[in-house]
Amino acid sequence: MDNLIKICGLSTPETLEAALEAGADMVGFVRFPKSPRHVTLDLGHRLSLQAKGRAQRVVLFVDPSDEDIAQAVEAINPDLIQLHGSESPERVAEIRSMAGRPVMKAFGIAEKSDLQALTPYAETSEHLLLDAKPPRTAQGLPGGNGVSFDWKLLNGLDPALPIMLSGGLNPDNVAEAIRLTKPKAVDVSSGVESSPGLKDAAKIKAFVQAARTAFAAQH
């Protein structure tokens, strides 16, 4: 499905409700202790119940173990698994099979050659999420750093690839990003926050509206 809008890193009932009311198609919960957006299994369970039937629920991992996956599938019951580490295509296929859920794979992009990594994952991944490579100051956080990459790098990319654009998006630039790259979906985390890990309801609403308008303009 095209034209999906994902709000990632939600960690409170209030900000999740803001995302759901704004019309987000996907809501993301982070299972990565280093992240300021990390949620416990118990909180993830409660947030998942809140979102059930209202948006697709995504759980984000970074190089998870089989146990990590099993625990989150049982507690949070996500609709999709997001992998934000160095998982190989074979590992993505394993996790997809084990979890019984579709998977989206994230890639750090800084130069044209980074896009060569996408093709081996296209068969096993529902979405190929393109994020900016983390800056050196990111302290081990592979995403959610509020940095964008040069969108012109995507010129000439196979339009059939299920691209989800991420990295440095916010309410002010998402329309331009969609116009330039024509992705199937967009993803935001830090771009709708007032401080690291703290989502802002007004920014979420503005982001969803801007993205929805930009997607509609393409048709």
Side-chain angles (χ1 to χ4, degrees), residues 49-169:
L49 287 178
Q50 183 180 343
K52 185 177 182 181
R54 302 172 69 190
Q56 294 184 61
R57 301 159 297 173
V58 182
V59 175
L60 182 155
F61 298 97
V62 179
D63 294 307
S65 67
D66 289 1
E67 184 181 5
D68 293 334
I69 297 286
Q71 288 178 340
V73 166
E74 182 177 356
I76 303 174
N77 188 27
D79 299 297
L80 291 99
I81 305 285
Q82 179 174 335
L83 299 173
H84 223 105
S86 57
E87 302 90 2
S88 68
E90 294 76 21
R91 179 62 176 152
V92 171
E94 274 180 14
I95 290 172
R96 180 180 176 176
S97 175
M98 181 176 56
R101 307 288 196 282
V103 170
M104 63 171 71
K105 178 71 182 86
F107 303 85
I109 307 298
E111 52 195 49
K112 195 83 172 176
S113 60
D114 293 324
L115 298 171
Q116 294 171 4
L118 304 184
T119 305
Y121 290 88
E123 285 187 17
T124 54
S125 302
E126 188 87 2
H127 302 278
L128 303 174
L129 187 147
L130 306 188
D131 200 351
K133 276 195 173 169
R136 291 196 179 104
T137 55
Q139 300 176 328
L141 297 175
N145 294 302
V147 180
S148 57
F149 62 91
D150 182 0
W151 299 323
K152 294 188 185 75
L153 293 174
L154 304 188
N155 288 346
L157 196 63
D158 181 355
L161 287 172
I163 297 300
M164 177 179 283
L165 187 67
S166 186
L169 298 180

Side-chain angles (χ1 to χ4, degrees), residues 6-11 27-41 43-44 47 58-62 72 76 82 84 141-144 187-189 193 197 199:
K6 176 171 171 275
I7 310 293
C8 196
L10 294 157
S11 57
V27 291
F29 310 122
V30 175
R31 288 286 297 155
F32 184 55
K34 288 183 181 179
S35 172
R37 305 164 187 92
H38 174 71
V39 299
T40 62
L41 290 172
L43 175 57
L47 294 174
V58 182
V59 175
L60 182 155
F61 298 97
V62 179
I76 303 174
Q82 179 174 335
H84 223 105
L141 297 175
D187 170 75
V188 68
S189 185
E193 291 180 344
K199 294 288 185 282

